[in-house]
Amino acid sequence: MPMRHGDSPDADEPIDSHSDDGVPPQMTMHPSVGYSGMPMHMYPFAGGMIPTPQQLRSKRRQVKNACTNCQKACKKCDDARPCLRCVKYGIAEECIDSQRRERKKGVKRGPYKKRDGKDRADNSPDQESPPAPQTIAIPVATPSTSPPIGAYMTPAVGFPPGFYSQYPPHTGRPGEVPAYFPQFYIAQVPPPQPTADGETPAYPPGFYPAFVPYPQPYPPYMVPHQRPDGQMAMAAYPMYKAPSTGNSSEPGSSSKEQRATARTAGGREEEEEEEEEETGDN
DNA sequence: CTTCTCGGACGTTCAACCCT
DNA sequence: GGGTTGAACGTCCGAGAAGT
């Protein structure tokens, strides 16, 4: 069935997803950290790692199961329930996993193309295989205190100006190469330094005080954010407004959100019924 | 200018097929 | 039995249309 394109609310900015069923989080940005405007799977590249145009387009990552709203809108979902998008539109209560239909069985397949298995062994795999993510082999032992470098970790070769500036540069000791880990999980943020007048603690330039390592007891789209004045504010995802506590308005009470809710509330049920019918005859 | 719609590219899954 | 292949199915990017 070609997926019906739907009537869900929209207007999205890119959002991250921590999908992946136990797969170590790849180099995706946590939404609690400022979004750079790049797709979730793209990062600035460290110096010396300027990618070829081909490498620039890294793999798109998908959630395993989009919610029904995102699915109908053909928009990016995430693994959280409610997902960011539903939260944003105030339809969190309608954020449910879509049902995957069962795959057809007994589909006959033509003869396989000859897999030149042995021939392929002759070809230098470097030429055949797609360019691997550029990973620089570092001839320096990883410090024993560091987490093991997994396949998803790419050692960096120095930071170009403006990139990764919120993370401590390597110490510069002779022979030391900064190990690079998924930045949002293991970046070490130095403690705030008291200023000269001893008052407001100041973070080093570029450091963001809201860093919270996983796991954290907040929905993935919020992190506690300590403001310079010492108060805790919710560093919310840009479009998401935390429900105002004072007013009676619930999340999703904005006119736009209400519109969205109303729109999705109607029409969708009948669509779902249709879908169920379709799945039924498999 | 913002928001919505949706075509289609791209990613994921998994049964059929192939190889050892 | 285990690895490989490739089609089915799913996600969601991004351009253009529609709305405000």
Side-chain angles (χ1 to χ4, degrees), chain A residues 133-191:
Chain A
Q134 202 168 21
T135 302
I136 308 300
I138 298 182
V140 173
T142 305
S144 60
T145 53
S146 303
I149 294 184
Y152 58 98
M153 297 176 176
T154 302
V157 191
F159 300 151
F163 285 154
Y164 306 114
S165 61
Q166 66 270 50
Y167 301 105
H170 78 95
T171 62
R173 290 196 200 101
E176 179 174 337
V177 176
Y180 173 66
F181 307 108
Q183 44 186 312
F184 302 104
Y185 296 91
I186 60 169
Q188 294 177 355
V189 178

Side-chain angles (χ1 to χ4, degrees), chain A residues 66-88:
Chain A
C67 74
T68 53
N69 295 321
C70 295
Q71 185 186 58
K72 290 195 174 81
C74 298
K75 289 297 176 183
K76 183 162 173 53
C77 194
D78 59 64
D79 284 337
R81 290 294 175 271
C83 71
L84 272 178
R85 191 169 170 278
C86 288
V87 169
K88 182 171 124 186

